Amino acid sequence: MDKLRIVKSIVVFMLILVVIIVPVSKNQFKKIEIPSPSSKEFVFKEIKPNEEMKVAIPTHGGLEDQINSVLKDARLQGTTTSISIRRAADGKILYTNLGDTRVHPASLMKLFTGVAALETLGLEHTFKTELYTDGKIKDGELQGNLYLKGLGDPTLTKDDLIMFTTELKEKGIQTVAGNLFGDDTWYDDDRLSQDLNWSDEPYYSGAQVSALTLSPNDDFDAGTVIVDVYPAAKSGEAGTIRMVPENSYVKIVNKTKTVAQNGTSYIKASRMHGSNTVIVSGTVPLGLKQNRSWASVWEPTNYTMNVFKHVLDEQGIEFTNVTQVGTGTVPSGATLLATKQSIPLKKLLTPFMKLSNNGHGEVLVKEIGRVSSGEGSWSKGLGGMNQTLADIGIDMNTMLLRDGSGMSHKTLVTANEVTNLLYIAGTKSWYEDFVNSLPVAGKEERFVGGTLRYRMNGTAAEGKVKAKTGTLNGVTSLAGYAETKDGETLLFSAIINNHLDDTAYGLLDEIAMIIANYKREK
């Protein structure tokens, strides 16, 4: 009997374990791939949809009832959720929840920066980079210094530096008896916005701002370097690292490891504060083409000049003496040798908005300051933005703007003023360029869908919602234009502050889908 009781006890105990453990292992211990802060996915939250992420959209009741149903979600307990919906036709508010409450917008701030830039600078505004000399050309030798002067261009790439070198050759220059200087005095020398967190500074999302800077590719992440990691020939060996563009300014510490083909691809490129030493760590599987990350650089002006010197060497222009490569101001009377002009603002809006490029936001603030007051600083730029936005009808007494990108945790806006901004934008001559720069829900082409390319796919909102996304720790936001089932355009802004669940952005998608499914009662 004792043995029978023991056997029965064991069976009951095992059944209890099955009841307890199986649900836990199914629902709680899921493998979650967390992107590195040096990858684009870290900021964009580019999560492809799966069955578990599909949301049940309320279908009964009017617009107000359906959105109120979303607000009952447990993920919003303890949060501040500010929502505003207007008609595009006349600006009438159709729905609001805490619409006049000040909240942190995250990258919705870029909507304000973009509008202020369009009003102040204009659609056709461009940035320039100029090459000067204070010397003379004699028998193929430039006898004097070269000066690369930056006027804020965030789209300068290595290809442009090659173009400058080609123009020197066309002028007959084969050697240079002088130094190589970079002039970044178009803006002030404050490199980081006032509220940027120290933990963001090593990554591309917190890159330093300079009037003379360099982008590694056509995403135009100025002031950054791309770090590509390739697997070694054997598992257990360190990966191979290549920088784009190649340079001797950034020093790489390789702590990567090649793992089996079915292993995890996770690379983090983190620059040590105050230096240009980038520690690259993580794993790269055999058979992987590459793992790409970005790191910001310390002092972009010197970085640009380092790459330019490499380009001159590669293209066969020799410096006859020991050459100083650094910073210096173009002297009066210097001769202009070549000029590079950026794409116009109307085209720059695309990577700025669709890829949520923080650096562009801060450059635009400084450029607004330079154009409106003659000083390329955050102080003058933000002052110019405030005045411009007030002039077009935004109530700046309800808000506090602290940067141009939305990285600040001190910037404050209201949902009602965000939709007011969108309404006013609809009355402007530049409206089409503005709205087309916004990410389009569910469109997976990168420069169409942008940060919304993996969101709302296969729903009524796909292709019908054009909106700016925003993400900070504890903040998620979405604002833009949505076409309803009636073909009517509604303006919406939804901002969640103080959430503790990173899936809360899905509730913003629900709201956008409700609007896209909305049909006005006859």
Side-chain angles (χ1 to χ4, degrees), residues 8 24 51 55 64 96 99 115 129 209 213 242 312 314 325 332 362 374 412:
K8 285 182 178 180
V24 170
E51 292 300 319
V55 294
E64 182 175 353
T96 184
V115 166
T129 307
V209 176
T213 188
R242 174 175 174 262
L312 290 165
E314 291 167 2
V325 180
S332 61
E362 308 308 344
L412 294 168

Side-chain angles (χ1 to χ4, degrees), residues 5-174:
R5 276 197 299 271
I6 292 170
V7 171
K8 285 182 178 180
S9 297
I10 292 172
V11 171
V12 170
F13 178 71
M14 293 301 293
L15 286 172
I16 291 171
L17 283 178
V18 169
V19 170
I20 293 173
I21 292 174
V22 170
V24 170
S25 63
K26 180 179 179 182
N27 297 319
Q28 294 184 22
F29 297 138
K30 298 172 186 172
K31 183 180 179 182
I32 300 174
E33 295 291 343
I34 302 174
S36 157
S38 55
S39 72
K40 292 294 178 78
E41 287 77 9
F42 181 76
V43 173
F44 292 168
K45 301 291 184 184
E46 292 171 354
I47 304 171
K48 288 195 175 183
N50 56 44
E51 292 300 319
E52 294 177 353
M53 290 174 62
K54 290 182 178 177
V55 294
I57 306 167
T59 56
H60 300 292
L63 187 68
E64 182 175 353
D65 290 340
Q66 292 182 62
I67 294 176
N68 286 342
S69 177
V70 174
L71 294 178
K72 295 176 183 177
D73 191 284
R75 286 170 287 183
L76 296 181
Q77 290 181 5
T79 68
T80 299
T81 303
S82 182
I83 302 171
S84 176
I85 302 173
R86 294 179 191 258
R87 282 202 300 250
D90 57 11
K92 180 182 177 181
I93 293 179
L94 303 179
Y95 177 88
T96 184
N97 179 76
L98 301 179
D100 289 324
T101 298
R102 283 183 282 276
V103 287
H104 305 302
S107 279
L108 295 196
M109 180 60 219
K110 293 181 175 72
L111 295 171
F112 291 94
T113 305
V115 166
L118 287 166
E119 280 290 290
T120 305
L121 308 176
L123 280 171
E124 302 300 329
H125 182 84
T126 58
F127 300 84
K128 291 192 298 183
T129 307
E130 300 169 334
L131 183 62
Y132 289 88
T133 184
D134 58 5
K136 301 292 183 181
I137 304 171
K138 185 177 180 180
D139 298 329
E141 182 176 74
L142 175 61
Q143 297 174 348
N145 301 312
L146 281 174
Y147 296 85
L148 190 65
K149 182 177 177 64
L151 284 82
D153 185 3
T155 71
L156 189 73
T157 65
K158 182 179 178 180
D159 286 343
D160 298 314
L161 300 181
I162 293 173
M163 180 273 292
F164 280 130
T165 306
T166 300
E167 296 219 19
L168 291 178
K169 287 182 174 181
E170 290 175 354
K171 294 182 186 299
I173 298 172
Q174 300 172 356

Side-chain angles (χ1 to χ4, degrees), residues 285-424:
L286 289 169
L288 186 74
K289 181 181 177 182
Q290 69 182 35
N291 185 305
R292 170 160 285 188
S293 294
W294 282 253
S296 66
V297 301
W298 190 266
E299 286 297 337
T301 301
N302 292 331
Y303 166 58
T304 304
M305 299 314 295
N306 180 275
V307 175
F308 191 27
K309 179 61 166 62
H310 277 266
V311 168
L312 290 165
D313 291 343
E314 291 167 2
Q315 298 297 312
I317 293 183
E318 298 180 4
F319 285 77
T320 57
N321 300 314
V322 177
T323 304
Q324 179 184 350
V325 180
T327 58
T329 304
V330 176
S332 61
T335 302
L336 179 64
L337 297 173
T339 301
K340 181 264 177 178
Q341 196 158 308
S342 75
I343 56 177
L345 178 57
K346 63 183 178 183
K347 292 186 177 180
L348 185 65
L349 284 176
T350 296
F352 175 42
M353 294 294 192
K354 289 187 185 291
L355 304 185
S356 203
N357 191 305
N358 291 334
H360 294 178
E362 308 308 344
V363 164
L364 288 173
V365 171
K366 290 199 173 190
E367 187 72 359
I368 288 170
R370 179 77 197 199
V371 169
S372 63
S373 69
E375 179 180 308
S377 66
W378 270 290
S379 174
K380 293 296 185 182
L382 290 171
M385 282 179 58
N386 273 273
Q387 187 60 57
T388 297
L389 293 169
D391 288 345
I392 65 173
I394 303 298
D395 185 0
M396 300 308 295
N397 293 321
T398 69
M399 300 189 295
L400 176 65
L401 307 186
R402 299 277 296 184
D403 66 11
S405 64
M407 289 291 281
S408 172
H409 283 267
K410 294 182 179 180
T411 290
L412 294 168
V413 304
T414 69
N416 279 341
E417 284 307 311
V418 174
T419 55
N420 185 28
L421 180 84
L422 297 172
Y423 172 69
I424 292 170

